[in-house]
């Protein structure tokens, strides 16, 4: 049984949350202390997913707040160049800045990100800036967990979810846990659980589900999915890095997705590229096994490249990789 989407909707996906700046180390395979130059890309998990979706041919929109400066302008211009609707991206008027993510590539397997997110504009998105008439036009509302970290963004996202559920819009919750802006593990677990239980699809790594369940050790996938299926969830995706990923259905069916090995330049970007291609496959009516392949292939392509957003692949690139590895 596959998820169904209202095909009469104008947008395939509307994402809500941060659109920020990635600054990826040019001198890599060394500590960031030794990196002297960076390349600037648009970043922010929901923005990356919207960009990836648009590159795959989906009609994508975005709800978010931008800094009123050159960074905000760069983000908006880039997303418009990628044919994302930015009519519901608003500029901050209180001097809040764009989120900056500096990336460190110590080695292909050892990467870390340094996020500057204090008082960032995206967390000041207000409920009055969330438009029901916009959200109702979408097949999917993509919610990023980090947007729940602080008010007023938190309430804006909860309102967006209410609008989605009222208007036959599927809610996809990408857990996207970034500890930097949360006050406590307990608070994170409360809001992650609340939103996951409201969502039609939940996507995350095993570690992120452990955060949602406030566990000190690795949790059990079966227990995770059984809890979520007692609520509104129709599909649970649990990612395990290079070990692959699983898609769980309420009837007990489990689908396994293998990672496609590649020459890794950096490990970040995997999750956002995975999500955009996985959702592309779902929205275009492919089965879950194919959706897992699309997600894994997209991630494999992006981890072999320098950026997350700019590196998002086309359908042809994904299908070619799947064919080559079959
Ligand atoms: N080193 C890698 N090589 C190839 N594919 C990878 C690699 N790391 C991750 N992937 C793919 O990307 C998916 C998501 O990666 P994962 O690390 O689980 O999520 P996130 O990037 O959100 O932390 C994995 O299930 C796998 O298919
Ligand atoms: O989400 C962010 O703010 C940072 C991203 O822009 C960055 O590209 C990244 O870390 C993506 O990693 P992923 O979650 O593995 O896709």
């Amino acid at each position: 049984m596959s998820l169904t989407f209202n095909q009469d909707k104008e947008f395939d996906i509307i994402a809500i949350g941060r659109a920020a700046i990635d600054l990826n180390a040019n001198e890599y395979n060394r500590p960031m202390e030794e990196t002297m130059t960076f390349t600037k890309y648009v970043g922010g998990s929901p923005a990356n997913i919207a960009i990836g979706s648009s590159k795959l041919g989906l009609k994508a929109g975005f709800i978010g707040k931008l800094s009123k400066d050159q960074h905000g302008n760069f983000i908006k211009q880039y997303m418009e160049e990628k044919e994302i609707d930015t009519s519901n991206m608003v500029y901050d008027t209180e001097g809040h800045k764009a989120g900056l993510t500096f990336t460190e590539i110590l080695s292909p397997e050892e990467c870390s990100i340094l996020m500057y997110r204090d008082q960032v504009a995206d967390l000041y998105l207000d409920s009055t800036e969330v438009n029901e008439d916009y959200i109702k036009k979408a097949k999917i509302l993509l919610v990023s967990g980090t947007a729940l970290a602080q008010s007023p963004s938190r309430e804006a996202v909860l309102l967006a979810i209410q609008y989605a559920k009222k208007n036959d819009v599927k809610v996809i919750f990408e857990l996207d846990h970034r500890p930097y802006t949360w006050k406590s593990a307990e608070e994170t677990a409360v809001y992650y659980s609340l939103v996951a239980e409201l969502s039609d699809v939940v996507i995350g790594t095993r570690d992120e589900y452990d955060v949602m369940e406030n566990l000190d050790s690795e949790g059990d996938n079966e227990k995770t999915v059984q809890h979520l299926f007692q609520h509104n969830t129709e599909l649970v995706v649990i990612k395990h890095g290079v070990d692959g990923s699983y898609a769980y259905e309420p009837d007990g069916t489990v689908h396994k997705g293998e990672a496609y090995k590649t020459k890794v330049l950096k490990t970040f970007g995997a999750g956002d590229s995975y999500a955009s291609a996985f959702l592309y496959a779902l929205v275009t009516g492919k089965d879950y096994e194919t959706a897992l392949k699309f997600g894994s292939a997209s991630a494999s392509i992006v981890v072999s490249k320098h950026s997350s957003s700019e590196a998002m692949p086309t359908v042809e690139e994904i299908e070619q990789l799947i064919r080559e590895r079959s």
Side-chain angles (χ1 to χ4, degrees), residues 23-24 46 59 69 84 88 94 97 118 123 135 137 149 165 178 185 192 209 214 217 223 229 275 279 294 305 316:
L23 294 162
N24 291 3
K59 183 168 173 55
D69 58 20
I84 294 165
N88 280 251
E94 299 170 334
K97 306 303 182 194
D118 290 341
L123 289 175
I135 289 172
K137 294 178 182 174
K165 298 187 77 64
R178 311 287 173 159
Y192 267 56
Y209 283 99
N214 200 14
S217 58
K223 287 180 181 173
F229 289 144
L279 294 175
F294 265 66
K305 297 185 177 179
E316 294 69 28

Side-chain angles (χ1 to χ4, degrees), residues 18 20 22 42-45 48 101 113 115 176 178 267-273 308:
R18 69 185 179 287
D22 280 358
V42 166
S45 179
N48 288 339
T101 297
I113 64 173
M115 299 181 90
D176 173 44
R178 311 287 173 159
T267 54
F268 52 88
D272 297 343
S273 51
S308 297

Side-chain angles (χ1 to χ4, degrees), residues 154-187:
R154 174 180 292 166
E155 290 76 14
V157 169
L158 292 173
L159 180 60
I161 292 170
Q162 282 181 11
Y163 288 156
K165 298 187 77 64
K166 202 173 127 187
N167 292 284
D168 191 22
V169 177
K170 295 292 187 199
V171 177
I172 314 293
F173 183 28
E174 221 289 349
L175 297 180
D176 173 44
H177 180 243
R178 311 287 173 159
Y180 313 91
T181 35
W182 286 94
K183 292 191 181 66
S184 70
E186 292 74 18
E187 182 182 69

